[in-house]
Amino acid sequence: MAIFSVYVVNKAGGLIYQLDHYAPRADTEKTFSFPLDLVLRPHDERIVVAFGQRDGIRVGHAVLAINGAEVNGRSTADGKDVMEFLGNPANYPVSIRFGRHRLSSNEKLMLASMFHSLFAIGSQLSPEIGSSGIEMLETDTFKLHCFQTLTGIKFMVLADPRQAGIDSLLRKIYEIYSDFALKNPFYSLEMPIRCELFDQNLKLALEVAEKAGPFGPGS
Amino acid sequence: MTIHNLYIFDRTGTCLHYSEWHRRRQAGIPKEEEFKLMFGMLFSLCSFVNKMSPTDMREGFVSFQTSRYRLHYLESPSGVRLVLNTDLGVSSARDALQHIYSNLFVELVVKNPLCPPRAPVQSELFRSRLDAFIRGLPFFAPRPS
């Protein structure tokens, strides 16, 4: 059971806060000899597996590190092009770490505003009168819970499908937001939240929620 | 517990079939536009979910709920998408969707030489069997209103 991440989106759809609480590691590191028995292809500023699956490496996984050094987009740690480096037989045997690509901050901004519009469409396509937007979205690997306040701020929590007590956690996050962001005289509305106390209390709340589940009144 | 409506889309976004049972509110736009909006939303949702997922997915997007309804989603390997809207009392309609796909859609539409692919389903048999199946579901009950 785990809580993966928290997003706060303002009423215009802009991401104003994001925290990655827990990221399951599913990376695979393997040593390869020339020629590489996977087809790699550059895609969106990273190198992904386009064909060939073996030992936990799947199509869509990105190259994360070569010989223990993290790659930086399409270039290796010392600035060489990954595709050229892997195309040269002199560099083999080479150890490559594959895994799911971590979201960049730009992608997070984009996904947050994407959810903002999906939320609105969800309420527009409702077959029932007076429906809200998407409150809970279920997939086989995670559940996304969303709580929209009266002022239009959306709090989103990504959690394990079996994690209980997310609804009370969302209200707790709203409380933390009101206490430590809104009451902070240096915080301006609708702008990114950079408040140390907000950070600390949010992390604390996530840990409590993971261990115990629901919050009692006044906790 | 009740069922509101059902959409079946092919992989290009054509609405192959639409039917509704207890739908209280229309979207306020022409049906064609509504189908496009629904398909667009599902398409974006699937890509959104794939990017957000912390680990590799098998089935992907399964369902979402709002304060008033729940949308159940099933995508076949060939890209046929089935969407069933129910109220919040129905926790999973996956088996029903799977049945509609494999026992009704594949048998009566895909295997029917008179049904051209990628065109709205005209088969009366499919419509009536689908309607009978939905009305026979345990969570299909007329709304007490």
Side-chain angles (χ1 to χ4, degrees), chain B residues 54-65:
Chain B
T55 50
D56 291 319
M57 315 197 85
R58 288 181 311 277
E59 288 163 6
F61 168 55
V62 173
S63 71
F64 75 69
Q65 69 173 68

Side-chain angles (χ1 to χ4, degrees), chain B residues 16-56:
Chain B
L16 300 181
H17 179 82
Y18 173 75
S19 40
E20 62 186 47
W21 290 272
H22 302 292
R23 182 169 179 171
R24 276 200 183 165
R25 172 186 171 275
Q26 297 296 328
I29 46 177
K31 271 281 174 288
E32 282 303 309
E33 297 295 314
E34 185 190 321
F35 298 155
K36 278 188 209 165
L37 190 60
M38 175 60 89
F39 186 80
M41 178 178 73
L42 295 170
F43 189 86
S44 314
L45 261 177
C46 290
S47 107
F48 171 80
V49 154
N50 258 315
K51 286 190 182 136
M52 287 291 254
S53 173
T55 50
D56 291 319

Side-chain angles (χ1 to χ4, degrees), chain A residues 4 58 61 100 111 114 122 124-133 135-142, chain B residues 4 24-25 44-45 47-50 53-60 62-69 143:
Chain A
F4 300 129
R58 296 183 175 282
H61 279 186
R100 276 187 74 88
L111 288 172
M114 196 164 155
Q124 198 192 340
L125 284 174
S126 166
E128 274 280 9
I129 304 152
S131 170
S132 72
E135 283 182 343
M136 197 264 286
L137 190 151
E138 193 177 352
T139 74
D140 55 345
T141 52
F142 70 92
Chain B
H4 299 307
R24 276 200 183 165
R25 172 186 171 275
S44 314
L45 261 177
S47 107
F48 171 80
V49 154
N50 258 315
S53 173
T55 50
D56 291 319
M57 315 197 85
R58 288 181 311 277
E59 288 163 6
V62 173
S63 71
F64 75 69
Q65 69 173 68
T66 72
S67 59
R68 301 307 295 270
Y69 76 103
R143 178 183 305 283

Side-chain angles (χ1 to χ4, degrees), chain B residues 21 104 126-137 140:
Chain B
W21 290 272
L104 299 174
F126 174 72
R127 282 170 190 276
S128 56
R129 291 274 289 275
L130 179 68
D131 190 63
F133 173 71
I134 295 280
R135 285 180 194 279
L137 281 172
F140 182 90

Side-chain angles (χ1 to χ4, degrees), chain A residues 28-47:
Chain A
T28 338
E29 185 143 18
K30 257 195 84 67
T31 307
F32 294 90
S33 55
F34 191 79
L36 203 61
D37 48 1
L38 298 164
V39 180
L40 304 180
R41 199 163 285 160
H43 176 77
D44 283 355
E45 290 309 303
R46 56 181 186 268
I47 308 291

Side-chain angles (χ1 to χ4, degrees), chain A residues 204-218:
Chain A
L204 207 67
L206 293 180
E207 272 157 32
V208 173
E210 269 187 335
K211 287 199 190 89
F215 288 89

